[in-house]
Amino acid sequence: MTNKQLLILGIAPLLALGACGGNTDSPGVDNGMETSMSTGNAMADDRAMMNDGAGNAMAAAAMTGQDFADTVAASDAYEIAAGKLAQAKATSAGLKAFGAEMVAAHTQSTDKLKAAAGKASPAITPAPALTAEQQAHLQALQAATGTAFDTEYKAQQVAAHAQALAAVRGYAARGDVESLRAFAREAEGMIAKHDDAIRGM
């Protein structure tokens, strides 16, 4: 596979993330992980992907301000919806609390994103639409019960935060809208904190 193909494959899921605006009604995702063992392998694969050429391509790709705003908006929308499901369905107290934190933090992130996008010239309006992948993930969470829900939610969160970190780090370094670059720099700390927390559970 060529570097160009890797770049396209790496960016597609990020662009798909795109468009929340706080819409939490979209349902969500089957990532094909059927057992705890395969879930663990998938999480390890996700981590490896972020550290190899494809992950680097995803982080290094230059997104426009609109692309970035859409990506973050959709990511926030997914996190809010998944967090609400975790509050209701997780068997682990830690995951319930993490879900509540995701709802609060990503609602605040959406507000900050809109403010930063509004400072662009011309102003940017984040497009609130979940990707097909995010919708499938939410559907998988809605279908899962008991400890299977916990396993599914954690695996999704590890992958989602790795993608989000790549997006904000890449845009903070190479973005074309200064107000959104400032937002990306601020968001990186929040996302890294969440990433550490979910990996530690």
Side-chain angles (χ1 to χ4, degrees):
M1 186 174 288
T2 67
N3 287 340
K4 184 173 181 182
Q5 289 171 316
L6 281 173
L7 178 62
I8 292 170
L9 290 174
I11 283 221
L14 280 178
L15 293 182
L17 275 180
C20 91
N23 178 2
T24 60
D25 294 331
S26 300
V29 99
D30 182 3
N31 59 11
M33 293 188 246
E34 296 174 356
T35 66
S36 296
M37 179 70 79
S38 63
T39 298
N41 290 340
M43 286 165 55
D45 290 345
D46 284 335
R47 241 174 279 184
M49 187 73 144
M50 292 308 300
N51 291 323
D52 72 7
N56 290 336
M58 197 159 55
M63 285 191 277
T64 67
Q66 184 70 62
D67 290 338
F68 177 71
D70 291 351
T71 295
V72 174
S75 179
D76 281 346
Y78 159 76
E79 289 293 353
I80 291 166
K84 288 180 178 179
L85 288 171
Q87 287 179 277
K89 299 181 68 175
T91 64
S92 159
L95 286 179
K96 282 183 180 290
F98 184 82
E101 171 64 17
M102 293 305 95
V103 173
H106 288 278
T107 297
Q108 184 178 56
S109 172
T110 295
D111 292 341
K112 289 181 178 180
L113 171 67
K114 289 177 179 177
K119 292 177 183 175
S121 183
I124 292 171
T125 301
L130 293 182
T131 66
E133 182 184 20
Q134 290 167 331
Q135 291 175 12
H137 282 317
L138 293 178
Q139 287 168 354
L141 291 177
Q142 289 169 339
T145 58
T147 57
F149 175 90
D150 293 3
T151 300
E152 179 75 15
Y153 180 66
K154 180 177 177 181
Q156 287 188 21
Q157 288 298 300
V158 168
H161 282 87
Q163 287 182 330
L165 272 174
V168 296
R169 285 173 176 163
Y171 196 82
R174 290 167 290 280
D176 59 346
V177 177
E178 182 51 41
S179 60
L180 288 175
R181 289 182 68 186
F183 166 84
R185 288 190 292 268
E186 180 182 359
E188 180 180 351
M190 174 196 75
I191 296 167
K193 177 184 172 184
H194 294 163
D195 186 53
D196 288 344
I198 194 63
R199 289 180 188 276
M201 288 187 186

